[in-house]
Amino acid sequence: MHRYIPNNDGTRKEMLESVGASSIEDLFKDIPSDLRLGRDLNLPKALSELEVRKHMGQLAAKNKNIEELPCFLGAGAYDHYIPGIIKHLISRSEFYTAYTPYQPEVSQGTLQVIFEYQTMITELTGMDVTNASMYDGPTACGEAAVLACENTRRQSVIVSKTVNPETRKVLKSYLKARSLELIEVDAVDGVTDVEKLKSLVTKETAGVIVQSPNFFGIIEDVTEVEKIVHENKANLIMYVDPISLGILKSPGELGADIVVGEGQSLGNSLSYGGPHLGFFATTKKLVRKIPGRIVGQTEDADGNRAFVLTLQAREQHIRRYKATSNICSNQGLNTLVATIYLTAMGKEGLKEVALQSMQKAHYAFNELTKSGKFKPLFPNKPFFKEFALTSDIDSSKVNEELLKNNILGGYELGKDYEEHKNGLLLCVTEKRTKEEIDTLARVMEVL
């Protein structure tokens, strides 16, 4: 009997007889012989389960991973510590179905998780409402831009070039499909060019998207941006790192209308770049226009606490042209991870992660720049956990040498910004030790 298809000869004969065939060949007799291969596929011999496990283990061992190498790579996906409680709880069988339930009110546990997730994200962002999560940060950003256009009845969105390049690519696809205009505003010294932005924002602008800390790790001063946006009755959309909100002012306090971002940092693993989850928060004024779903709290007929799907303005439930978006499936398991993470860490724990990341990043920055061999790409700019350096050395060569020394280096900015050909974006989270940072500095100093 085969391990994976447990049919013996007798079972196969019985199945063939039930469909009126005498052999496997009979099943393919309608395909002309000149179109058939006429020989067995060139495949290796079948392996037992034990042999497959061994083979796959050998293949996996060829990869380097962050358990072996200290990671200084960020640029949108981050190596933060994942508390052990997360893996323990999400491994419970009742949580393994991530799909949003179609008979929601009988799934009170799932609804409660989403309700608590929404509560914590609204507190973190300083906004009024949050939906039940989205595919990832970039898609959340695309939906935010569409919402701004629908809310203002305008057709143009402006995005800063300091927003993650991958997010801008997704944004471009989103708006192109809806025939909406996307304008990119230049960066100057690593931050949004406010004077250029002022000249671009018009009465036709629906929204302006800024990221803080931005792709270069710099904390943007959005005070002037907020004034420009709201003076023109447009919407301010902020793309944020949720960990940074442990110590920075919330977007709500800064005047944002819509807040989006990537929730991978909140306890989700890197997982080759996904799946992750996007969070989407906004004001009460816009609650009926947001994509996805919102879970609310109520009481049942007996007065017990209960949870319900309160808003779900998708095309299955209302007339198609009035639906906000066809995005409906939240990233259930990833959302659960974020909920457990925020619950386990609490306000003080999140603040501690943010402080440690920032302090260690600043220590690394000082160590790497003190000799002058590597210089700040954007001097005198406040940064959170990422910073950009430049030197006379090709950044890809720097990373090659770091890898030879068992260190996962930074992001090569020249991939997305031609003007920063030798730029290297380094990230330091709370996981990095002083010894690891000192080793990084020592290796880079002798390149």
Side-chain angles (χ1 to χ4, degrees):
M1 184 181 291
H2 196 281
R3 171 66 179 81
Y4 312 109
I5 309 173
N7 300 323
N8 57 29
D9 290 342
T11 308
R12 278 191 284 272
K13 184 180 177 186
E14 189 178 340
M15 288 193 293
L16 287 169
E17 287 175 352
S18 71
V19 297
S22 59
S23 68
I24 297 290
E25 282 297 304
D26 282 353
L27 300 178
F28 302 102
K29 65 183 180 184
D30 292 332
I31 301 175
S33 59
D34 60 326
L35 296 178
R36 296 177 62 179
L37 188 59
R39 62 171 173 78
D40 291 337
L41 292 171
N42 184 22
L43 296 174
K45 70 178 181 67
L47 301 176
S48 68
E49 181 175 331
L50 185 65
E51 290 170 323
V52 169
R53 278 184 172 275
K54 187 176 181 183
H55 178 63
M56 295 304 291
Q58 289 169 339
L59 290 178
K62 292 182 178 179
N63 292 319
K64 298 287 186 183
N65 62 67
I66 56 170
E67 300 303 322
E68 302 169 7
L69 310 178
C71 174
F72 292 93
L73 179 62
Y78 300 100
D79 180 29
H80 284 290
Y81 178 68
I82 299 175
I85 188 175
I86 290 178
K87 198 167 184 179
H88 175 73
L89 289 179
I90 66 168
S91 298
R92 293 177 63 95
S93 58
E94 60 264 42
F95 288 133
Y96 256 30
T97 300
Y99 207 73
T100 303
Y102 270 96
Q103 290 78 37
E105 277 62 51
V106 301
S107 304
Q108 286 292 301
T110 300
L111 294 183
Q112 182 175 350
V113 165
I114 295 174
F115 180 81
E116 292 182 0
Y117 161 81
Q118 292 171 177
T119 303
M120 287 187 278
I121 293 294
T122 51
E123 287 184 356
L124 197 59
T125 56
M127 304 304 285
D128 299 326
V129 292
T130 302
N131 72 8
S133 86
M134 309 193 77
Y135 295 141
D136 54 23
T139 52
C141 188
E143 292 288 342
V146 172
L147 188 152
C149 291
E150 291 178 353
N151 181 48
T152 59
R153 298 179 186 275
R154 300 174 182 178
Q155 305 288 308
S156 180
V157 174
I158 297 175
V159 61
S160 170
K161 286 185 179 176
T162 65
V163 172
N164 189 313
E166 296 295 330
T167 300
R168 284 188 279 130
K169 286 178 186 173
V170 173
L171 190 61
K172 189 177 180 181
S173 298
Y174 250 82
L175 299 194
K176 183 182 178 183
R178 292 174 181 254
S179 300
L180 299 172
E181 183 184 33
L182 181 64
I183 300 171
E184 292 192 335
V185 59
D186 291 333
V188 56
D189 296 332
V191 295
T192 306
D193 187 338
V194 175
E195 290 305 314
K196 192 73 178 287
L197 177 68
K198 196 179 292 183
S199 69
L200 291 173
V201 176
T202 69
K203 299 301 179 188
E204 300 302 315
T205 303
V208 173
I209 303 170
V210 291
Q211 179 176 339
S212 183
N214 67 26
F215 185 65
F216 303 117
I218 300 170
I219 301 166
E220 295 238 10
D221 181 0
V222 298
T223 309
E224 191 63 25
V225 175
E226 187 270 335
K227 285 181 187 171
I228 296 169
V229 172
H230 288 151
E231 280 173 1
N232 287 276
K233 300 188 184 306
N235 291 147
L236 174 60
I237 301 167
M238 287 191 66
Y239 193 97
V240 297
D241 175 349
I243 297 293
S244 74
L245 299 181
I247 54 173
L248 297 180
K249 266 189 175 181
S250 73
E253 292 175 282
L254 297 172
D257 299 292
I258 307 170
V259 183
V260 293
E262 174 56 60
Q264 176 269 323
S265 295
L266 303 175
N268 281 286
S269 61
L270 291 165
S271 301
Y272 296 95
H276 294 157
L277 84 143
F279 56 86
F280 186 112
T282 185
T283 60
K284 193 174 180 180
K285 182 182 171 187
L286 299 176
V287 66
R288 290 189 173 277
K289 297 180 179 179
I290 66 174
R293 299 169 168 177
I294 288 181
V295 172
Q297 178 178 273
T298 185
E299 290 184 352
D300 66 12
D302 299 321
N304 298 315
R305 187 187 188 206
F307 301 94
V308 294
L309 271 186
T310 305
L311 288 175
Q312 42 182 333
R314 62 180 300 217
E315 76 283 3
Q316 282 185 335
H317 305 100
I318 62 175
R319 281 171 289 184
R320 177 175 288 273
Y321 67 91
K322 285 193 173 183
T324 51
S325 169
N326 70 350
I327 281 191
C328 54
S329 295
N330 61 298
Q331 297 288 69
L333 198 60
N334 302 65
T335 307
L336 173 65
V337 168
T339 307
I340 298 170
Y341 180 86
L342 288 170
T343 304
M345 301 303 285
K347 289 182 181 177
E348 290 304 313
L350 189 66
K351 182 179 177 182
E352 182 67 21
V353 171
L355 277 175
Q356 282 205 29
S357 298
M358 186 180 70
Q359 289 167 350
K360 290 181 177 182
H362 281 253
Y363 173 74
F365 173 85
N366 291 333
E367 289 298 302
L368 289 164
T369 56
K370 65 183 181 184
S371 76
K373 185 169 189 174
F374 287 88
K375 297 175 182 174
L377 187 57
F378 308 112
N380 304 316
K381 288 289 190 294
F383 63 88
F384 176 51
K385 65 184 180 189
E386 289 177 283
F387 54 89
L389 300 180
T390 188
S391 71
D392 296 331
I393 311 170
D394 187 324
S395 56
S396 65
K397 300 294 181 190
V398 176
N399 276 339
E400 284 176 18
E401 291 302 316
L402 289 175
L403 196 57
K404 287 177 186 174
N405 286 274
N406 292 322
I407 296 172
L408 189 56
Y411 186 80
E412 295 156 24
L413 290 172
K415 293 177 180 176
D416 301 290
Y417 299 89
E418 290 182 5
E419 65 274 29
H420 303 312
K421 192 175 64 174
N422 287 350
L424 190 65
L425 182 68
L426 292 154
C427 174
V428 185
T429 69
E430 81 282 10
K431 282 181 69 177
R432 300 286 69 84
T433 65
K434 181 177 182 297
E435 291 71 24
E436 290 171 342
I437 296 170
D438 289 343
T439 302
L440 172 77
R442 194 163 56 248
V443 172
M444 288 179 66
E445 185 58 32
V446 298
L447 291 177

